[in-house]
Amino acid sequence: MRPRSKAREHALRILYQLDVAGDPLEAGLASYLRHHRVAKANQPYVDALVRGTIAHREALDAAITRHAVNWRLGRMAVIDRNILRLGAYELIVDHDVPPTVVINEAVELAKRYGAPESGKFVNGILDSIRKTDVPAS
């Protein structure tokens, strides 16, 4: 697995942990890094993804809600919701990675961690966000 893909996976796992346990950001991040092997080279990217997603969560949730037709955020599987937040953060805020790569990485995470239909669900919502909420480059 490529380093950035692995970093996204770690970031997703941290976001999931924070969402489920309700831990404060600093405590949850420190706990995860203490108990999991995260390559030193990946730690800054993992940290940036997690902090950025948490910092912009309200706006990201609003964007996801606008594009998730007939789905309330609270009804979504926790893992899908956090994959969408992470992908939306990279699409709307970060702009460091091309949108097609962001969506592909999110779909792969959904296939790996989500339900059988999660990949399609994540792809549809993130592609809709890409089409309307992402500034043209």
Side-chain angles (χ1 to χ4, degrees):
M1 185 179 289
R2 294 185 325 262
R4 282 200 164 196
S5 297
K6 190 65 179 170
R8 278 185 194 88
E9 181 177 4
H10 285 299
L12 171 63
R13 292 170 71 184
I14 294 166
L15 291 168
Y16 178 89
Q17 175 184 315
L18 293 171
D19 201 6
V20 170
D23 294 337
L25 173 62
E26 296 304 326
L29 196 54
S31 172
Y32 184 88
L33 294 174
R34 193 171 43 254
H35 293 98
H36 296 86
R37 292 179 188 245
V38 179
K40 288 274 187 209
N42 280 349
Q43 287 182 12
Y45 192 56
V46 170
D47 189 74
L49 288 173
V50 171
R51 289 180 190 281
T53 301
I54 295 295
H56 296 276
R57 188 163 76 186
E58 189 175 307
L60 300 174
D61 286 355
I64 293 165
T65 299
R66 279 194 308 276
H67 296 278
V69 179
N70 298 323
W71 278 93
R72 287 189 339 269
L73 212 55
R75 277 189 53 226
M76 292 178 191
V78 176
I79 196 72
D80 292 351
R81 181 172 58 234
N82 283 288
I83 292 168
L84 288 167
R85 285 174 174 156
L86 182 59
Y89 169 73
E90 287 194 273
L91 287 172
I92 298 169
V93 180
D94 192 18
H95 307 294
D96 188 41
V97 178
T100 54
V101 174
V102 170
I103 294 171
N104 184 57
E105 292 278 331
V107 168
E108 290 305 314
L109 286 170
K111 287 178 181 177
R112 184 166 184 186
Y113 289 99
E117 296 297 313
S118 291
K120 292 176 186 176
F121 180 69
V122 165
N123 183 63
I125 293 172
L126 290 180
D127 192 49
S128 182
I129 289 171
R130 176 194 61 82
K131 289 174 182 174
T132 59
D133 295 352
V134 176
S137 40

